[in-house]
Amino acid sequence: MVGTGVFAEILDGDVYKYYGDGEWKKCASGKSVAIINPTTRKTQYKVQACSQEEVNKVMEIAKAAQKSWAKTPLWKRAELLHKAAAILKEHKFPIAECLVKEIAKPAKDSVTEVVRSGDLVSYCAEEGVRILGEGKFLVSDSFPGNERTKYCLTSKIPLGVVLAIPPFNYPVNLAVSKIAPALIAGNSLVLKPPTQGAVSCLHMVHCFHLAGFPKGLINCVTGKGSEIGDFLTMHPGVNCISFTGGDTGIAISKKAGMIPLQMELGGKDACIVLEDADLDLVASNIIKGGFSYSGQRCTAVKVVLVMESVADALVEKVKAKVAKLTVGPPEEDSDITPVVSESSANFIEGLVKDAKEKGATFCQPYKREGNLIWPLLLDHVRPDMRIAWEEPFGPVLPVIRINSVEEGIHHCNASNFGLQGCVFTRDINKAMLISDAMETGTVQINSAPARGPDHFPFQGIKDSGIGSQGITNSINMMTKIKSTVINLPTPTYTTG
Ligand code: NAP
C-alpha cells in the first residue's frame, strides 16, 4: 500500500519526506507542495518543498559519497542495482497506485511502467559491467612522425554528481533511466522528480534505499521546478544534467555551466502514409501511437501526413477505432484518462478552438469534462493551424492530406522538433529513402514511434534534444575517458 508497510517511514503525517544522506527528512521550513489528482482535481498527496539550504546540503553529501562509490568494485555496484531492481518489481503495485493517482495513468500501464523500470535497472547493471570493464589500448606509431614509444591505456571514469530531472509522464521509468546508468558508472545522484509523479518517485527511491546503497549516494529533493529548478541546474556542485521534459530543457541548456548535458525534449512525431500502405496496420498504429496514455507521450504520433488518394479510407478506419476507445478514470483502465492538469487541458482546448476557427473537419464532437478530453481526430488540417506544429500532449490528433511524399517530408522537416517519425509503405526501398530524408532522431518503418526497448539508442535533433539516451549511450554519457600513457625510452619494436 502507498505510504504504509515498508513505505511508512517515507511519510510524515500527510506529507511525504525527501531523501538525503540515506535518511528520510522533513524540510526545516515546514512548507509543502500539493499534488493534485488529475481525475478528482483534489489534493491527493503532499511533498516537502525543499529550500536552497537543503539543496546545498544534499549536493555536499552527494559529492562526498561519490568519492568512495567510485572506488567500489563494478561487480558490487551491479549487485546492488540488481537488488534494487528486484525490490522495485516486488513493490510494483503500491508504486503503480501512486502513478494512477498522481498522473492518471491507466492502472495496467502503471504496473507495466514499474516492471519495465526494474528490467531497465537490471539490464543497465549487466551492460555496465561489460562496457565499463573494457578500455582501449593504442600505440603511438600509427600517427605520422611517431615511433612506437608510447602506449596509451584508456578507461571510463565517473563524472561526479549527476542531476536527474524526469518529466511527469513516465516519472519512474525516466528517473531510473538516469539513476541506473549514473550509479553503475560510479556517479552519485540528486533526483528532482516532477511534482506530478513525485510520490511515485519517492516510493521508487525507497526501493533503492532498501537495497542498501551507501548513505548520500542517492538523494531526492522535492519541490516545484519553477522554484528550485534554476538553483539546482545552475548549482556548482552538479557535474552532469540528465533532463527529460519540454521547452524547460532549452532554457536549462542556456543556463547550465560547462558540464555534459543529456536533454530529451518534446516532439511532433509525423506519421507519413503512402498509397501502398497496409491501412489496417496504419490505423491500429495511429490509435496506439496517438492515443495511448491520452497522447501524453513524447513519441506519440502527433501529426498524420497521408496521401490524398488513401486519406478517406484511412480516416474512416481510424474513426471506427476511435469510437471504440473507452473514456474514464485510470482506475478502470480506460484507454483515455484525464490529462495531467487543468492548464494542460486548457492548452489542448486552445489548439482545438484554433483548428475549429480555421476550418478543420471534426471527426468527433469536441467534448471535455474537467481534465478529461474525449479522443478527437481532426481531418483536413492545414499548415496555418497551430495543431499542425504544436505538441498538444493530449488525445487530439491532426490529419494533413498530402499530394506527394516530398510534401510529407517537407512538413516533417519544417518542424522545430525532430524526435521520431514513422513511415508506412510496403516498399522497403522507398521507406529507406524517406527515413534518410526525415530530420528526426529515429524513424520507425511500419510501426508507430516508440522510446523502447530501453536499450535502443533514443535521441532527438533540433529542439528535441541534446545527446542520446538508451542504456549504453547513457552509461557512456555519464562517464569521461581517462588516458594513462606509458612513455618508453626506445621504440618497442627495435629489439630482437
Ligand atoms: P516540463 O514541464 O518541462 O517538466 C519536466 C521536469 O522539469 C519536471 O520535473 C519539472 O518539475 C522540471 N522543471 C520545471 N521547471 C524547471 C526549471 N526551471 N529547472 C529545472 N527543472 C524544472 O515537462 P512535463 O510537462 O513534465 O513533460 C512533458 C514534456 O516532456 C513534453 O514536451 C514531452 O514531449 C516531453 N518528454 C520528452 C521525452 C523524451 O524522451 N524526448 C520523454 C517524455 C516526455 P515540476 O513538475 O516540479 O515543474
Side-chain angles (χ1 to χ4, degrees):
M1 282 276 289
V2 175
T4 60
V6 291
F7 296 109
E9 65 175 297
I10 76 172
L11 190 60
D12 174 59
D14 65 345
V15 186
Y16 281 89
K17 298 182 202 168
Y18 76 96
Y19 188 65
D21 205 10
E23 285 168 20
W24 291 97
K25 296 170 184 258
K26 294 189 273 178
C27 283
S29 69
K31 287 188 185 159
S32 64
V33 176
I35 296 167
I36 310 296
N37 180 323
T39 312
T40 62
R41 295 194 288 157
K42 295 199 172 99
T43 298
Q44 181 74 41
Y45 305 123
K46 287 181 195 161
V47 291
Q48 310 286 326
C50 291
S51 65
Q52 296 190 349
E53 290 70 41
E54 280 148 352
V55 168
N56 279 337
K57 187 81 199 137
V58 151
M59 289 293 176
E60 255 175 55
I61 289 162
K63 188 173 177 178
Q66 191 269 330
K67 300 272 177 236
S68 41
W69 181 242
K71 293 176 188 146
T72 305
L74 252 173
W75 65 266
K76 275 197 183 170
R77 294 184 214 160
E79 207 171 70
L80 279 169
L81 281 168
H82 282 301
K83 206 168 160 193
I87 298 172
L88 190 61
K89 283 162 96 169
E90 187 189 328
H91 296 292
K92 59 183 183 282
F93 291 117
I95 302 175
E97 189 185 330
C98 301
L99 291 169
V100 168
K101 303 291 182 203
E102 288 188 290
I103 60 165
K105 183 166 280 189
K108 266 192 205 150
D109 296 348
S110 296
V111 174
T112 306
E113 175 170 345
V114 183
V115 174
R116 171 183 177 183
S117 301
D119 291 340
L120 191 158
V121 174
S122 295
Y123 195 109
C124 198
E126 285 168 18
E127 186 74 354
V129 289
R130 288 185 181 84
I131 64 171
L132 296 166
E134 286 179 358
K136 261 192 169 181
F137 169 63
L138 294 95
V139 289
S140 49
D141 61 317
S142 59
F143 198 87
N146 284 273
E147 295 294 334
R148 188 167 292 205
T149 52
K150 291 171 188 288
Y151 286 167
C152 178
L153 305 169
T154 74
S155 60
K156 290 175 189 145
I157 58 165
L159 297 175
V161 178
V162 173
L163 172 64
I165 307 184
F168 82 83
N169 60 343
Y170 288 88
V172 174
N173 185 260
L174 286 169
V176 300
S177 74
K178 304 171 189 320
I179 296 172
L183 294 180
I184 192 70
N187 300 288
S188 63
L189 199 109
V190 175
L191 170 70
K192 201 312 267 178
T195 296
Q196 301 291 139
V199 175
S200 315
C201 279
L202 292 170
H203 281 73
M204 174 270 293
V205 167
H206 194 55
C207 296
F208 282 78
H209 170 83
L210 294 172
F213 280 90
K215 275 175 166 246
L217 187 69
I218 304 166
N219 306 276
C220 181
V221 291
T222 49
K224 286 203 161 139
S226 53
E227 283 162 23
I228 53 164
D230 284 354
F231 190 72
L232 277 163
T233 52
M234 294 195 281
H235 200 286
V238 171
N239 304 112
C240 167
I241 302 176
S242 177
F243 176 92
T244 308
D247 288 351
T248 321
I250 298 175
I252 294 173
S253 311
K254 289 178 182 152
K255 289 182 229 165
M258 212 176 78
I259 52 171
L261 301 177
Q262 186 178 48
M263 293 281 158
E264 291 294 347
L265 312 182
K268 185 73 185 170
D269 294 7
C271 170
I272 300 182
V273 185
L274 271 51
E275 288 108 329
D276 68 343
D278 173 344
L279 295 186
D280 289 312
L281 178 74
V282 183
S284 340
N285 273 277
I286 287 177
I287 292 294
K288 183 174 75 152
F291 295 102
S292 297
Y293 186 36
S294 308
Q296 297 173 113
R297 294 167 51 247
C298 54
T299 54
V301 168
K302 295 194 182 118
V303 58
V304 177
L305 301 161
V306 56
M307 291 295 283
E308 179 68 62
S309 57
V310 292
D312 284 345
L314 179 65
V315 167
E316 277 315 307
K317 284 180 190 290
V318 178
K319 255 168 84 173
K321 287 184 185 291
V322 167
K324 289 190 185 141
L325 291 172
T326 56
V327 182
E331 288 83 355
E332 289 172 18
D333 258 328
S334 311
D335 297 315
I336 304 293
T337 55
V339 296
V340 71
S341 64
E342 191 172 342
S343 62
S344 179
N346 292 343
F347 174 77
I348 298 164
E349 188 163 293
L351 294 179
V352 171
K353 278 186 178 159
D354 175 78
K356 177 121 202 140
E357 278 159 21
K358 293 176 182 158
T361 304
F362 279 54
C363 298
Q364 298 81 19
Y366 173 65
K367 188 172 168 194
R368 169 183 172 185
E369 274 171 20
N371 295 354
L372 188 59
I373 294 177
W374 269 249
L376 178 60
L377 189 69
L378 298 173
D379 196 3
H380 296 108
V381 165
R382 288 191 321 266
D384 64 327
M385 299 175 191
R386 285 176 57 203
I387 191 86
W389 306 105
E390 294 181 42
E391 187 187 28
F393 234 58
V396 179
L397 183 61
V399 176
I400 297 182
R401 293 166 176 241
I402 53 173
N403 290 303
S404 68
V405 169
E406 287 70 25
E407 206 183 323
I409 294 169
H410 175 78
H411 186 93
C412 166
N413 293 351
S415 170
N416 57 319
F417 292 118
L419 192 58
Q420 289 208 357
C422 60
V423 54
F424 284 85
T425 172
R426 287 187 168 94
D427 184 337
I428 188 68
N429 299 325
K430 268 191 200 163
M432 290 307 296
L433 294 178
I434 295 169
S435 169
D436 276 359
M438 287 170 83
E439 292 168 3
T440 59
T442 304
V443 174
Q444 304 270 350
I445 297 172
N446 292 326
S447 186
R451 188 162 49 86
D454 287 324
H455 67 303
F456 279 14
F458 180 61
Q459 55 279 317
I461 57 175
K462 299 192 272 187
D463 284 354
S464 289
I466 301 175
S468 178
Q469 273 196 352
I471 290 171
T472 311
N473 287 346
S474 292
I475 296 173
N476 284 332
M477 183 268 169
M478 292 177 186
T479 59
K480 216 180 165 114
I481 302 284
K482 168 81 186 265
S483 302
T484 300
V485 182
I486 303 170
N487 288 278
L488 303 157
T490 51
T492 57
Y493 46 56
T494 53
T495 310

